[in-house]
Amino acid sequence: MKILKRDSNEPEALELMNELSQILEKITGSSGRGSFNIEDVRSPRSLFAVAYLQEEAVGCGAIRPIDETTAEVKRMYARLSGKGIGSALLNYLETEARKMGYTKLILETRVINRKAVLFYESKSYKRIQNYGKYANRPESVCFEKKLVD
């Protein structure tokens, strides 16, 4: 598997994000499109990444800045389950975030999306009070992970 930085406007990136939106719509009733703007990951100190297996795009993930020390994980998706794609992508995003000077990652998912909740908990993400537009939204659950020891 290889993971590469990509422009979020490239066809394979858009295809993966559209698949993710369709899946989220089925699971949660919301595509998540309203919480993500492609331009968010084209700004400084942000990135969009695509995972490849044998030259096929099989997953994506992004980080965007919240403030000087915090970035937000967005659009995490693995087309294939059980292949370690999500873990590899998240590890890549964490490594790149450290290189960019971030000391913490945060993210939001939906409580009903149990697979995502369990995934982030298994990767040492801790539940935090819902932030930003997710505050006072009981359907949301927010997480953070400190990137420094």
Side-chain angles (χ1 to χ4, degrees), residues 97-109:
R98 282 185 194 94
K99 289 178 187 176
M100 288 185 240
Y102 293 114
T103 58
K104 180 173 62 174
L105 289 176
I106 61 173
L107 64 93
E108 180 271 349
T109 191

Side-chain angles (χ1 to χ4, degrees), residues 5 45 92-102 147:
K5 291 180 188 176
R45 297 187 74 217
Y92 178 86
L93 294 176
E94 290 171 0
T95 299
E96 293 301 309
R98 282 185 194 94
K99 289 178 187 176
M100 288 185 240
Y102 293 114
L147 300 176

Side-chain angles (χ1 to χ4, degrees), residues 18-51:
N18 283 334
E19 283 180 28
L20 171 60
S21 293
Q22 291 170 7
I23 290 167
L24 289 175
E25 183 79 41
K26 289 177 186 169
I27 295 170
T28 71
S30 172
S31 68
R33 285 187 173 111
S35 297
F36 179 76
N37 181 330
I38 288 174
E39 294 304 314
D40 290 346
V41 292
R42 300 176 90 195
S43 65
R45 297 187 74 217
S46 67
L47 73 86
F48 188 87
V50 175

